[in-house]
Amino acid sequence: MSKFKHIITVTMNPAIDLACQVPDFTAGKVNRVAGYQTDAAGKGVNIAVLLRKFDLPVTVTGFLGADNALIFEKLFSSKGLKDEFVRVPGETRIGVKVLDPDSGATTDINFPGLSPDAGHVDKLMQTVDNLADESSIVVIGGSLPATVSPAAVGQLVNVIKSCGAKAVVDTSGPALSSAIVAVPCLVKPNDAELSELVGRPLKKKEELVNEARRMNRSGIDTVVVSLGSQGALFISQEEEFFAKPPTINAVSTVGAGDAMIGGMVAGMALELSLRERACLATSLSAATVAQAGPSLEDIEIAKELEEQVVIETISF
Ligand SMILES: Nc1ncnc2c1ncn2[C@@H]1O[C@H](COP(=O)(O)OP(=O)(O)OP(=O)(O)O)[C@@H](O)[C@H]1O
Ligand SMILES: [Mg+2]
């Protein structure tokens, strides 16, 4: 591990999540909100918040709308995150989730996102280049704004590697393909994302393991394939594990994948073994699913669940 402990997370398409409970929600009529919660979110932001629970120094960057940045700025200062986000004219997208407690149905209303231009992308590359020089790990998380080319993700991975830092990527589609060509240190596709990447449906665990091994052989140190409530595969050159999460009462799966990345990255920074990292990441994810909202509030819940994680060595 590098002598620098600093971790950077990059979120190019953050969002403000507005979740509201509306009993008997009906389109075309006046609906009353019974309760609501607003969260500054986005994969890299959620991961950064979790990493702070381990007292690791974290800087956040990416693109943020200049017109509604306050909710993010408040979060960053309350969590002790260093803010190096590139401000872009306009508003960070808002995602409204309407939950009807009577029917159990949810309705999503997604606002359009920011439109960073080539100058903003260059500024982000420069920011990451400067920060990665004194960092051990840089995490790139989430989707891209429509105006940013998927090639930017591969370019970022190359910038990070040329600074001697480790690149961790959690994205999907063309952005993931672009990252993989640049050979990051860790990727965490879920089964659907891995299937899309290889261009055919991967159903059996054996097929998923084989594809993960192929990526591993191409130079990616650790490939994690997450399988929702079933658990996740952790594939490295030396070791291969399947981690089964404990049975929990699932409240909201929002942030499950982010908690898994957060656990893997915290484990890298703390120099844990792959088995220990798999256990930590799986317990953090399960604890996040067992509560509402994208970020795990009480890390003690994860510590209690850790004993119930079952780690199997893959033997085929
Ligand atoms: N119902 C559940 N119970 C326990 N653990 C869960 C549950 N759902 C998810 N997890 C844990 O969270 C991990 C990541 O979940 P998942 O595979 O759904 O990620 P994802 O599809 O990338 O999600 P995201 O939408 O957050 O990106 C799983 O590998 C598992 O360990
Ligand atoms: Mg995911």
Side-chain angles (χ1 to χ4, degrees), residues 43 188 190 226-229 231-232 245-246 248 250 255-257 260 282 285-286 289:
K43 286 198 180 298
K188 189 217 69 65
N190 59 27
S226 67
L227 311 169
S229 59
I248 44 104
M260 180 144 274
T282 303
S285 303
V289 173

Side-chain angles (χ1 to χ4, degrees), residues 79-240:
K79 302 292 179 186
L81 292 164
K82 188 158 181 279
D83 175 12
E84 290 284 347
F85 266 91
V86 175
R87 300 308 193 263
V88 173
E91 292 190 347
T92 297
R93 68 197 168 120
I94 300 169
V96 182
K97 203 176 264 301
V98 181
L99 308 152
D100 181 345
D102 297 340
S103 67
T106 65
T107 306
D108 285 283
I109 303 167
N110 292 332
F111 285 43
L114 293 168
S115 302
D117 63 22
H120 298 118
V121 174
D122 282 349
K123 195 163 174 204
L124 178 62
M125 294 289 165
Q126 198 53 56
T127 302
V128 173
D129 200 350
N130 293 340
L131 295 171
D133 258 342
E134 296 194 352
S135 302
S136 57
I137 306 165
V138 184
V139 185
I140 306 168
S143 60
L144 300 181
T147 54
V148 177
S149 155
V153 179
Q155 215 180 318
L156 264 182
V157 171
N158 284 324
V159 166
I160 295 160
K161 288 168 69 181
S162 69
C163 293
K166 293 187 169 178
V168 173
V169 180
D170 182 16
T171 183
S172 57
L176 177 59
S177 306
S178 152
I180 282 170
V181 173
V183 194
C185 163
L186 168 71
V187 290
K188 189 217 69 65
N190 59 27
D191 45 355
E193 289 162 348
L194 187 55
S195 297
E196 189 193 358
L197 186 75
V198 301
R200 64 190 167 87
L202 302 170
K203 293 202 179 74
K204 293 200 203 104
K205 223 189 261 173
E206 286 80 357
E207 293 178 292
L208 293 159
V209 167
N210 281 334
E211 287 306 328
R213 282 178 182 155
R214 246 158 41 93
M215 287 163 77
N216 192 219
R217 278 197 300 273
S218 77
I220 301 173
D221 281 0
T222 313
V223 180
V224 180
V225 183
S226 67
L227 311 169
S229 59
Q230 285 184 59
L233 304 161
F234 296 81
I235 307 295
S236 80
Q237 202 77 53
E238 298 79 25
E239 293 169 302
E240 299 181 337

